[in-house]
Amino acid sequence: RRGGAACTLPAHRGEVCGLRFAPDGVAQLASGSNDHTVRVCDVRSPRAARLELTAHSAAVKALDFCPWRRHCLATGGGTTDGSIRIWDTGAAAERELQSVATGSQVSGVRWSVARRELVTSHGFSSMNSTSNSVRLWRPNLLPVAQLTGHRGRVLHLAVSPDGGTALSAGSDETLRFWKISSIGGAGGGGGPPPPPG
């Protein structure tokens, strides 16, 4: 038996290069595209995007919802953008909480539950010091550590379910395991600014 799509959503004006569902309890799906936008839709009624996030100036492949804070999405921009942005996806309109320029392509973003920090991977760079690396950030986007070793750009990033290990896959044909639980002081300190009260 062949199945058909339950729904088709005309989401972007360019190739879709990133997808992420929100954790349990938040019925949201984020999609990133070569059109430089991120769309957030309600999966209970996905006929149209609920939010369009437009601050990136390059493709957005890297996306991840924060597992301990509802409606908090981290995104990373491609080579000519190189920024990490944290968004409030529960807002009625585009609302950026934090951002930082990294100086390099952001190829992956993942939250570490154990550390309550953001882990990012990087590729092409205008500044050699930030390329081909994995970086750790506090939730308020203050840098914690930069992990180097890849001889080519980092293409993919994963974080173990316990949040203690990151795995990066590089164009240098290597997989590298990073014990992030033992770097610096675990436990994020600082977080995205609270919503206005």
Side-chain angles (χ1 to χ4, degrees):
R1 175 179 167 179
R2 301 180 100 193
C7 174
T8 301
L9 179 63
H12 292 278
R13 294 172 299 282
E15 295 173 336
V16 177
C17 51
L19 290 171
R20 185 68 62 195
F21 278 107
D24 293 342
V26 179
Q28 292 183 338
L29 171 71
S31 59
S33 172
N34 284 347
D35 67 8
H36 309 178
T37 68
V38 174
R39 304 284 176 97
V40 178
C41 71
D42 183 330
V43 296
R44 295 167 298 197
S45 57
R47 299 284 178 229
R50 200 179 73 64
L51 283 176
E52 181 177 16
L53 311 176
T54 60
H56 285 290
S57 60
V60 183
K61 170 187 167 189
L63 317 142
D64 202 20
F65 281 96
C66 182
W68 64 86
R69 181 169 177 191
R70 290 174 59 87
H71 304 293
C72 181
L73 174 70
T75 61
T79 306
T80 59
D81 177 287
S83 67
I84 300 167
R85 298 178 185 277
I86 298 179
W87 306 92
D88 175 2
T89 63
E94 182 173 335
R95 181 163 180 259
E96 184 179 294
L97 301 173
Q98 298 280 145
S99 67
V100 65
T102 69
S104 60
Q105 171 193 38
V106 183
S107 57
V109 296
R110 293 291 177 267
W111 292 97
S112 168
V113 178
R115 294 182 59 91
R116 289 193 172 240
E117 291 177 345
L118 189 64
V119 184
T120 60
S121 58
H122 300 269
F124 295 119
S125 173
S126 56
M127 305 168 3
N128 286 335
S129 63
T130 61
S131 64
N132 311 333
S133 65
V134 172
R135 299 176 77 184
L136 302 178
W137 307 84
R138 300 222 185 280
N140 59 6
L141 297 181
L142 292 174
V144 174
Q146 180 171 325
L147 311 173
T148 59
H150 281 287
R151 293 181 310 280
R153 61 194 177 113
V154 180
L155 302 173
H156 300 284
L157 176 68
V159 173
S160 63
D162 69 1
T165 303
L167 172 64
S168 56
S171 63
D172 59 1
E173 302 176 359
T174 66
L175 298 176
R176 295 184 185 265
F177 291 82
W178 310 93
K179 193 71 176 163
I180 58 176
S181 60
S182 62
I183 296 172

